[in-house]
């Protein structure tokens, strides 16, 4: 079987290392420098106190959510989890007592062999719940073939689980190891095997192992599984497949959104992502319904499971209509749709995740101007939110028809609009009489322009306009990483030193080399490593809440042993291990990762889309996300991570972790050119410019107010030190 060629996105050619000559002093060595730097984190003149946004609640959220109490007070056995797994859960994850709301629906559905479409907020336990359910289905039987004696018992069936990146596969493997007793399976391979690229094991060898010991759960990245399929189709064990599950399905299927351009749609049709090619190939052999090549008698349909925090409508429609892999029988599909709009997502995260945007100029750093303070944009803002809901609407609700069939949600959103124009008496009457659809609202002449992302960033500009966001921001001489001046890294280092206690993650755009950024932070005296859970024992530490991570070998300097070190060196090492650690990875590798000790997420530059922003923000406040959804009676018992290795074992106060996490976007300040004042979109002296504008848009779409970075007191103190430092200089 030959699948379409896919670009090697995982193991690309390694770039030559470029020696760094940093013009900046090592930050950690000078606390005063850090304070001085922090003092320059001043505030935009635009930003007042953060306004409480009168943000409309989505009424559907409440009405759709059934009474949860009885769900949470169940235990895992009652849902069908095998007693052995439930026991291991109690022993290894002692604080995971009651299932979350989505788990209470996911687990029985998986066990009953139903197809599942699941959407719930990040950190609600989707992946964990799926793993529990799949492990509970483990049954062994005699090996097929001529030599049954060679492998006396093997799992009877296989579930294929596709994940977007290797870290997530390793996380699942780590969890499985905690749940399956070593006494029963000293080698985890028959229970769960992982197929990844770039591990050093040739694919032929992996295929041979899988043929010899077909696993109960086969986890792999899409690219690795495609390579395996091309190397040895039989190694996938298609005849024994019972389930095919896709975690982070929207990412893996890459279905263009409702506002995708023709070009994007053409590209998707012409070059389907690897996961899609693989699914199609598997489904052609194991289709949902009998076909000319698969007779009714031999027909044995696969169970299909698709999950994501952002499983939006285009993806669901695609799965249902194009991929045609969902049951058409009554009760054959379980749709679990708990958090279904971006607004609701942000509302659930409120108080658990704080958002900041630092705009780094040549001389100073300031906050982004709060999106909520701009009354002129309010009219457009509400309509934008309606439009987001149009895209993110609930699973069974059809699109509003093109002829303008009224949409009750639009009516609700309109009535709570903060828009000055929408508040006018005439508007209110109009809304009462005939609710508008979002599309109608958008076309309303009195409401001002909708400044949609599409219009902002990809409209073909007419001759009098120039691109709103310059494709390549002007670079200066001292930029070690093009387009990202060193001040941006200094700012992150300063924020890390001041605000982070244990662990932070920095997401960099995919075109930026993680290794170079690690080196750069090393030069600033920051404990920085590439986030790679596969590079040794350290990965386990990250998952368990410890920060003793192992990074790619090239980034870890060789240290002498304790005996070889003098007391000074030992003291320095102790100090170093106590300082916060920064893990560096690129934007696409965030999804699904669960790092218990994480308190801060930094983004280098604006997030490419709201979806990716939500996933990156979703690495934070995960414990709170679980707590928030859990009935008060159960709340005290919920926790994260395996017992004995979790936060408590890692020596930190769990209470502290429950406090809000911080997602800090660091962007480069770009001066608005004079010609921009005349622009129809994005022009005008009161409008933001560059990436700052893009970030403000994301906040606006989520309905969040960015926080102010430093309090007044800190600012004064820092300023004093900054002056002192300047005097010295
Ligand atoms: N019922 C539960 N009670 C308490 N903790 C739980 C429960 N289920 C899972 N957890 C913990 O919650 C964390 C997050 O789980 P998981 O990664 O499965 O969430 P997710 O919904 O898949 O997140 P994402 O959307 O980011 O992939 C894990 O550390 C897991 O141990």
């Amino acid at each position: 079987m030959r699948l379409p060629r896919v670009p090697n996105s995982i193991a690309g050619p390694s770039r030559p290392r470029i020696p760094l000559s940093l013009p900046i002093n090592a930050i950690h060595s000078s606390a005063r420098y850090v304070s001085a730097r922090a003092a320059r984190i001043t505030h935009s003149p635009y930003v007042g106190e953060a306004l409480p946004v009168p943000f409309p609640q989505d009424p559907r959220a409440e009405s759709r959510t059934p009474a949860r109490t009885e769900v949470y007070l169940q235990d895992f056995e009652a849902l069908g989890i095998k007693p052995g797994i439930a026991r291991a859960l109690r022993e290894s994850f002692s604080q995971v007592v009651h299932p979350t709301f989505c788990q209470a629906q996911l687990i029985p559905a998986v066990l009953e062999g139903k197809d599942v479409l699941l959407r719930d907020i990040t950190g609600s336990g989707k992946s964990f719940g799926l793993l529990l359910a799949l492990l509970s289905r483990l049954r062994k039987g005699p090996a097929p073939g001529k030599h049954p004696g060679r492998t006396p018992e093997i799992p009877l069936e296989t579930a294929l689980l596709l994940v977007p990146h290797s870290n997530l596969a390793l996380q699942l493997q780590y969890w499985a190891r905690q749940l399956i007793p070593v006494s029963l399976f000293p080698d985890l391979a028959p229970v769960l095997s992982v197929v990844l690229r770039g591990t050093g094991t040739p694919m032929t060898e992996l295929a041979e192992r899988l043929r010899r010991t077909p696993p109960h759960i086969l986890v792999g990245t899409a690219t690795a599984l495609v390579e395996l399929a091309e190397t040895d189709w039989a190694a996938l064990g298609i005849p024994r497949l019972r389930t095919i599950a896709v975690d982070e399905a929207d990412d893996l299927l890459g279905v263009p959104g409702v506002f995708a351009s023709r070009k994007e749609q053409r590209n998707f049709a012409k070059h389907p992502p690897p996961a899609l090619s693989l699914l199609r190939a598997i489904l052609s052999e194991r289709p949902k319904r009998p076909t000319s090549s698969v007779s009714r008698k031999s027909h044995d349909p696969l169970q299909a499971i698709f999950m994501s925090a952002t499983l939006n409508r285009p993806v669901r429609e695609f799965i249902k209509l194009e991929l045609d892999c969902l049951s058409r029988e009554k009760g054959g599909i379980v749709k679990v749709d708990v958090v279904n709009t971006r607004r609701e997502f942000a509302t659930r995260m409120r108080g658990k995740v704080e958002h900041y945007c630092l705009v780094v100029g040549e001389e100073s750093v300031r906050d982004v101007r709060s999106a909520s303070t701009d009354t002129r944009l309010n009219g457009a803002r509400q309509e934008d939110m309606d439009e987001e809901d149009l895209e993110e609407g609930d699973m069974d609700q059809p699109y509003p028809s093109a002829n303008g069939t009224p949409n009750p949600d639009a009516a609700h959103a309109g009535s709570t609009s903060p828009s000055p124009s929408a508040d006018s008496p005439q508007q209110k009457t109009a809304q009462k009489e005939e609710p508008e659809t979002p599309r109608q609202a958008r076309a309303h002449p009195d409401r001002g322009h909708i400044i949609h992302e599409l219009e902002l960033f990809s409209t073909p500009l007419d001759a009098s306009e120039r691109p709103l966001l310059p494709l390549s921001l002007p670079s200066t001489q001292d930029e070690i990483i093009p387009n990202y001046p060193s001040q941006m890294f200094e700012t992150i280092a300063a924020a890390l030193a001041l605000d982070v206690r244990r662990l932070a993650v920095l997401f960099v755009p995919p075109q930026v080399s993680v290794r170079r950024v690690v080196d750069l932070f090393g030069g600033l005296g920051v404990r920085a490593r590439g986030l790679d859970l596969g590079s040794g024992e350290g990965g386990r530490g990250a998952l368990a809440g410890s920060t003793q991570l192992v990074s790619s070998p090239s980034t870890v300097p060789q240290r002498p042993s304790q005996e070889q070190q003098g007391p000074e060196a030992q003291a320095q090492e102790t100090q170093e291990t106590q300082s916060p650690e920064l893990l560096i990875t690129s934007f696409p590798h965030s999804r699904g990762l669960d790092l218990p000790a994480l308190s801060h997420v930094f983004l280098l530059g604006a997030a490419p889309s709201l979806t990716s922003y939500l996933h990156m923000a979703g690495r934070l406040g995960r414990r709170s996300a679980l707590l928030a959804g859990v009935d008060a009676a159960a709340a005290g018992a919920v926790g994260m991570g395996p017992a004995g290795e979790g936060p408590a074992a890692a020596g930190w106060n769990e209470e502290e972790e429950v406090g809000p996490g911080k997602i800090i976007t660091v962007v480069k300040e770009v001066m608005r050119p004079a010609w921009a004042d005349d622009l129809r979109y994005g022009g005008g002296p009161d409008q933001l410019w560059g990436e700052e504008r893009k970030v403000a848009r994301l906040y606006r779409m989520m309905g969040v107010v960015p926080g102010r970075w430093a309090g007044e007191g800190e600012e004064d103190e820092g300023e004093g030190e900054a002056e002192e430092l300047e005097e010295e200089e």
Side-chain angles (χ1 to χ4, degrees):
M1 162 83 53
R2 194 101 201 121
L3 298 177
R5 266 273 142 242
V6 289
N8 180 350
S9 57
I10 292 177
S14 58
R15 292 182 208 168
R17 283 184 74 183
I18 299 170
L20 297 169
S21 53
L22 281 174
I24 319 155
N25 295 330
I27 273 199
H28 83 298
S29 61
S30 164
R32 291 171 70 204
Y33 183 76
V34 170
S35 318
R37 186 75 232 159
R40 289 186 219 161
I41 302 176
T42 57
H43 303 294
S44 152
Y46 304 114
V47 180
E49 283 307 318
L51 298 179
V53 189
F55 202 75
Q57 294 288 329
D58 184 353
R60 294 172 299 170
E62 289 312 313
S63 60
R64 201 180 16 257
T65 310
R68 298 179 171 207
T69 315
E70 67 267 31
V71 170
Y72 290 121
L73 294 180
Q74 292 184 44
D75 54 22
F76 284 96
E77 278 107 322
L79 294 177
I81 296 296
K82 267 189 182 174
I85 302 288
R87 209 175 314 120
L89 186 64
R90 275 192 294 275
E91 284 164 13
S92 302
F93 296 78
S94 61
Q95 289 155 314
V96 180
V97 178
H98 299 283
T100 61
F101 182 67
C102 73
Q103 286 170 344
Q105 291 160 83
L106 170 72
I107 294 171
V110 174
L111 294 175
E112 286 163 25
K114 293 182 175 171
D115 295 334
V116 181
L117 288 179
L118 167 59
R119 174 164 68 172
D120 197 356
I121 194 166
T122 48
S124 52
K126 298 181 289 298
S127 315
F128 194 80
L130 176 67
L131 184 71
L132 285 179
L134 292 177
L135 288 177
S136 288
R137 281 195 341 206
L138 177 60
R139 282 183 305 135
K140 292 193 289 184
K146 284 183 190 167
H147 310 289
R150 205 168 53 184
T151 316
E153 282 193 320
I154 60 158
L156 279 176
E157 58 185 33
T158 297
L160 180 64
L161 175 49
L162 269 72
V163 293
H165 53 88
S166 53
N167 282 338
L168 190 49
L170 294 167
Q171 177 175 281
L172 288 162
Q173 189 185 39
Y174 171 76
W175 283 342
R177 187 63 282 178
Q178 307 294 310
L179 291 166
I180 299 292
V182 179
S183 54
L184 219 56
F185 284 95
D187 178 12
L188 195 63
V191 180
L192 186 143
S193 291
V194 168
V195 179
L196 301 175
R197 284 169 110 191
T199 54
T201 314
M203 209 41 94
T204 43
E205 198 182 315
L206 267 178
E208 180 53 36
R209 274 190 221 163
L210 290 173
R211 272 169 175 264
R212 234 186 359 249
T213 317
H216 175 62
I217 305 173
L218 179 59
V219 186
T221 58
T223 38
L225 287 168
V226 165
E227 195 180 324
L228 176 73
E230 289 182 346
T231 311
D232 183 355
W233 177 250
L236 276 179
I238 304 297
R240 43 173 287 131
L241 269 193
R242 181 177 171 204
T243 302
I244 184 148
V246 186
D247 201 358
E248 311 296 347
D250 55 327
D251 186 34
L252 279 170
L253 298 182
V255 180
V258 283
F259 299 110
S261 65
R262 286 242 170 115
K263 193 176 168 201
E264 283 168 329
Q265 288 171 358
R266 257 202 320 272
N267 273 347
F268 173 71
K270 228 171 156 185
H271 310 288
L276 191 52
S277 310
L278 184 69
L279 283 178
R280 281 184 174 142
I282 294 173
L283 286 166
S284 69
E285 208 168 310
R286 297 283 305 277
K288 211 63 187 176
R289 276 158 281 285
T291 60
S292 52
S293 56
V294 180
S295 69
R296 190 166 289 278
K297 209 170 152 202
S298 63
H299 180 239
D300 178 19
L302 278 177
Q303 176 187 31
I305 301 169
F306 295 87
M307 315 189 300
S308 173
T310 47
L311 193 70
N312 56 20
R313 183 185 300 277
V315 187
R316 296 191 310 263
E317 302 272 291
F318 182 85
I319 293 167
K320 199 168 140 191
L321 304 174
E322 299 280 328
L323 213 50
D324 194 18
C325 64
L326 296 181
S327 168
R328 287 190 196 159
E329 282 165 27
K330 198 160 181 254
I333 312 178
V334 172
K335 294 178 184 174
V336 190
D337 195 13
V338 187
V339 172
N340 69 358
T341 63
R342 289 164 179 180
R343 281 196 273 182
E344 202 183 329
F345 205 107
T347 314
R348 293 274 186 110
M349 283 189 165
R350 201 165 289 162
K352 294 148 207 155
V353 178
E354 291 175 356
H355 307 256
Y356 296 88
C357 178
L358 301 181
V359 185
V360 181
E362 267 177 41
E363 292 300 320
S364 65
V365 182
R366 62 175 171 81
D367 285 323
V368 69
R369 178 168 56 148
S370 165
S372 70
T373 55
D374 187 345
T375 48
R376 286 208 208 172
L377 288 175
N378 276 340
R381 183 178 315 151
Q382 184 54 50
E383 289 158 18
D384 259 355
M385 292 188 305
D386 293 343
E387 196 146 330
E388 287 308 317
D389 279 355
L390 179 69
E391 194 177 332
E392 295 295 316
D394 87 80
M395 285 199 185
D396 298 313
Q397 193 185 344
Y399 281 115
S401 63
N403 63 14
T405 313
N407 176 348
D409 295 328
H412 165 79
S415 65
T416 51
S417 166
S419 154
S421 56
D423 280 343
S424 70
Q426 300 93 319
Q427 290 268 340
K428 273 186 184 160
T429 327
Q431 281 162 14
K432 250 189 188 169
E433 281 167 6
E434 196 184 320
E436 285 175 326
T437 64
R439 287 192 200 286
Q440 282 174 329
R442 191 176 164 209
H444 202 292
D446 296 339
R447 294 260 182 110
H449 305 301
I450 291 297
I451 306 172
H452 194 271
E453 200 161 353
L454 202 73
E455 290 167 303
L456 264 178
F457 297 109
S458 42
T459 316
L461 300 159
D462 63 42
S464 62
E465 288 182 358
R466 282 192 249 164
L468 181 65
L469 185 68
L471 290 179
S472 167
L473 302 178
S475 292
T476 52
Q477 279 292 312
D478 65 339
E479 283 183 11
I480 294 155
I481 294 175
N483 290 333
Y484 299 96
S486 47
Q487 286 94 326
M488 291 177 83
F489 299 96
E490 277 185 70
T491 304
I492 294 168
L496 185 86
L498 288 169
D499 211 43
V500 180
R501 197 164 157 248
R502 290 180 58 82
L503 187 66
V505 166
L506 166 66
F507 290 105
V508 298
Q511 69 273 18
V512 172
S513 154
V514 168
R515 184 175 290 182
R516 287 191 72 189
V517 177
V518 169
D519 287 346
L520 200 152
F521 276 110
L524 289 170
V526 171
R527 278 210 307 149
R529 296 161 196 268
L531 173 52
D532 180 3
L533 301 183
S535 54
E537 269 296 295
R540 238 177 113 257
L543 295 167
S546 144
T547 60
Q548 296 303 307
L549 295 165
V550 172
S551 57
S552 37
S554 60
T555 62
V556 186
Q558 286 293 315
R559 289 177 186 282
S561 69
Q562 286 268 333
E563 296 81 55
Q564 290 167 333
Q565 290 176 3
E568 256 179 43
Q570 279 182 26
Q572 196 191 338
E573 183 167 337
T574 317
Q575 196 199 339
E576 268 180 31
T577 46
Q578 279 170 0
S579 61
E581 178 151 46
L582 184 65
L583 304 179
I584 297 160
T585 186
S586 59
F587 280 155
H589 296 124
S590 65
R591 283 180 169 240
L593 267 193
D594 190 69
L595 304 169
L598 192 71
S599 63
H600 289 63
V601 165
F602 292 95
L603 310 186
L604 186 68
S609 67
L610 184 52
T611 303
S612 67
Y613 185 85
L614 290 175
H615 278 278
M616 288 187 272
R619 299 314 99 211
L620 297 166
R622 291 166 80 80
R623 183 182 152 81
S624 315
L626 287 158
L627 284 170
V630 173
D631 182 71
V638 174
M640 294 171 70
E645 287 188 78
W652 56 293
N653 182 359
E654 283 188 49
E655 288 302 312
E656 232 170 273
E657 203 273 332
V658 181
K662 290 180 184 171
I663 175 156
I664 304 163
T665 308
V666 181
V667 296
K668 176 176 167 178
E669 185 173 53
V670 184
M671 291 301 160
R672 189 185 51 244
W675 53 261
D677 287 355
D678 305 327
L679 283 183
R680 183 176 168 214
Y681 296 123
D686 61 337
Q687 301 253 337
L688 303 178
W689 193 250
E691 289 221 294
E692 183 180 0
R693 180 177 173 81
K694 195 169 181 184
V695 178
R697 251 199 76 78
L698 295 181
Y699 291 152
R700 201 176 79 186
M701 290 198 284
M702 287 186 292
V704 303
V705 179
R708 300 187 62 184
W709 180 241
E712 290 300 321
E714 288 162 43
E715 214 178 303
D716 292 348
E717 197 185 310
E719 250 164 36
E721 289 210 38
E723 276 163 21
E724 229 180 278
L725 194 84
E726 267 161 29
E727 266 172 36
E728 268 179 33
E729 276 168 6

